[in-house]
Amino acid sequence: MSVWIKLAKAGAISCLAMVAVGTSAQQETRAPVPADRQGQIDASRSHTPNGGRPEIRTADDMKRLAGYTAPGAQAYASLAAEASAGMWPVTLYYRCKNTPGGTAIHAKAPQPIEVFDGVYSIGDDANNIWAIDTADGIILIDTLSSEADARGTIIANMVRMGLDPKRIRYILITHNHLDHFGGAAYLKSLSNARIGMAQADWEAQVTRGNLPLKGPNDFFLTDGQIITLGDRSVTVVLTPGHTPGTASLLFPVTDKGKPYMASLFGGQGSPNDLQSLMTFRQSLNHFADYTDRMQADVVLSNHTVGDDGLSRVAKLALRRDGEPNPYVVGREGVVRYDALWRACLSADIDQITRTTK
Ligand SMILES: [Zn+2]
């Protein structure tokens, strides 16, 4: 059994990290994170869009900031830093530090913005919410924690972007943590949209909030499924690990008409137990089959630490004609992202195995 710890702000539950509060004798789990390692802010970075979230750019940073003590875990963590090669500094800190509580950072909410043609980022400082506009309506990815969040952030930002919330046709929920599903029932009541979530997550018991009831038009997300609306399509890849029914997504995008392939992994924080960590690592392999085959060259995330979204939104807002889109990381960026994540999970697996021996 585990609980979500209160992280980013009062009343909000982040799903970036979790701590074990009760463990079975058979299950290998992490030790709780000491309070002084939760949410350390790098004061030298407090002026940045990330609000002082620490960064790992090099293997030295990793040694200084990560909490791994097992030799194998340290080796994996060093590999992760090499794989990142400075391309994913904020993400790397959160992936690979053996400190599952370290996210208590206040940052200024990002402005809503059109990231690709008809693809909007409309979330808050912790959670990215994505709206994909089509001629036949809108696909929304995730819903924040509550009706209040949906009204105050999602709908307010849609209106600022000229998007009509009544045009939402699909609400895709990446996984069954409150900060992703909490606003779904309200948004559905406004728009009569169809909700999609993986069966394993929809039928699970959740510790926070109430999952939306599955209505006759709602549906389970399944592996390899393609959801189409207007001239858009979204490919679903089931990637258990963060939760049993985490769903990841790929979809083509264009930037001023130029085509790219976006990938969005549906779960972020490392789980606490060995089996889930190993499942998670297998899911990264499965997802890589898709990102390679579909030649993904854009990384989006459902959390701002997952795609360094706060920095990218700030950069995008200042983008001038002819400058590159900061969300386009190329094949190299996608490959490095996948490699660092796999190495970080391997570090977690090694650490937990070593610790519990
Ligand atoms: Zn979560």
Side-chain angles (χ1 to χ4, degrees):
M1 189 177 131
S2 64
V3 294
W4 299 106
I5 52 176
K6 190 182 284 187
L7 296 167
K9 55 201 166 188
I13 301 299
S14 166
C15 70
L16 288 162
M18 50 188 182
V19 290
V21 292
T23 62
S24 76
Q26 300 80 16
Q27 216 177 22
E28 294 174 278
T29 58
R30 288 167 195 256
V33 180
D36 66 350
R37 288 187 60 82
Q38 293 186 17
Q40 291 171 345
I41 293 174
D42 180 344
S44 70
R45 297 189 202 281
S46 59
H47 63 286
T48 69
N50 283 303
R53 287 171 171 156
E55 300 182 356
I56 292 180
R57 291 182 179 274
T58 65
D60 282 346
D61 291 346
M62 182 66 81
K63 273 189 202 131
R64 187 164 46 82
L65 292 168
Y68 298 111
T69 54
Q74 290 172 337
Y76 273 126
S78 177
L79 282 177
E82 285 168 30
S84 175
M87 284 188 81
W88 296 102
V90 171
T91 302
L92 185 54
Y93 176 80
Y94 286 94
R95 291 277 183 276
C96 203
K97 61 194 186 301
N98 195 36
T99 55
T103 53
I105 307 288
H106 293 276
K108 203 167 154 243
Q111 65 183 91
I113 195 163
E114 187 175 6
V115 172
F116 291 99
D117 302 334
V119 177
Y120 298 83
S121 168
I122 53 172
D124 64 19
D125 66 319
N127 286 64
N128 290 323
I129 302 297
W130 297 98
I132 304 172
D133 192 19
T134 82
D136 292 343
I138 294 166
I139 301 169
L140 190 73
I141 303 171
D142 284 347
T143 66
L144 298 178
S145 298
S146 63
E147 177 182 333
D149 283 352
R151 283 175 187 272
T153 298
I154 296 173
I155 290 175
N157 284 341
M158 287 182 79
V159 170
R160 278 178 72 184
M161 293 283 96
L163 300 169
D164 179 358
K166 292 196 175 65
R167 292 183 60 247
I168 302 172
R169 291 290 168 269
Y170 285 102
I171 298 170
L172 308 183
I173 298 175
T174 55
H175 64 274
N176 68 4
H177 290 152
L178 183 61
D179 53 338
H180 302 271
F181 73 75
Y186 172 70
L187 289 164
K188 180 180 174 173
S189 74
L190 273 187
S191 60
N192 204 26
R194 303 176 66 188
I195 299 178
M197 181 166 32
Q199 183 169 11
D201 268 20
W202 216 333
E203 294 181 349
Q205 295 286 326
V206 294
T207 50
R208 307 287 307 190
N210 297 307
L211 288 169
L213 293 175
K214 185 170 178 289
N217 291 324
D218 298 331
F219 62 105
F220 293 131
L221 299 177
T222 57
D223 197 52
Q225 180 180 41
I226 295 174
I227 295 163
T228 56
L229 185 67
D231 58 354
R232 302 266 190 180
S233 68
V234 176
T235 299
V236 178
V237 186
L238 292 192
T239 52
H242 181 71
T243 63
T246 297
S248 298
L249 308 168
L250 292 112
F251 47 95
V253 295
T254 58
D255 178 59
K256 301 182 193 303
K258 196 171 172 201
Y260 297 97
M261 181 60 67
S263 58
L264 188 158
F265 199 89
Q268 300 298 316
S270 290
N272 289 310
D273 65 284
L274 183 60
Q275 186 55 54
S276 299
L277 283 165
M278 293 194 298
T279 301
F280 203 141
R281 187 165 61 176
Q282 283 172 359
S283 289
L284 284 183
N285 282 336
H286 185 49
F287 194 59
D289 288 346
Y290 278 85
T291 56
D292 289 351
R293 240 170 43 207
M294 295 174 75
Q295 291 285 292
D297 47 14
V298 168
V299 171
L300 306 178
S301 177
N302 51 4
H303 277 287
T304 58
V305 293
D307 57 11
D308 199 355
L310 298 176
S311 298
R312 286 183 211 281
V313 164
K315 261 187 219 157
L316 190 62
L318 299 172
R319 181 189 186 194
R320 295 196 189 131
D321 273 353
E323 289 181 350
N325 185 320
Y327 279 89
V328 175
V329 295
R331 287 292 295 145
E332 180 186 355
V334 173
V335 168
R336 290 191 178 282
Y337 187 84
D338 173 59
L340 79 86
W341 202 342
R342 195 186 318 259
C344 288
L345 279 168
S346 300
D348 289 340
I349 288 167
D350 187 273
Q351 178 73 33
I352 198 172
T353 308
R354 173 85 176 192
T355 310
T356 51
K357 261 185 184 160

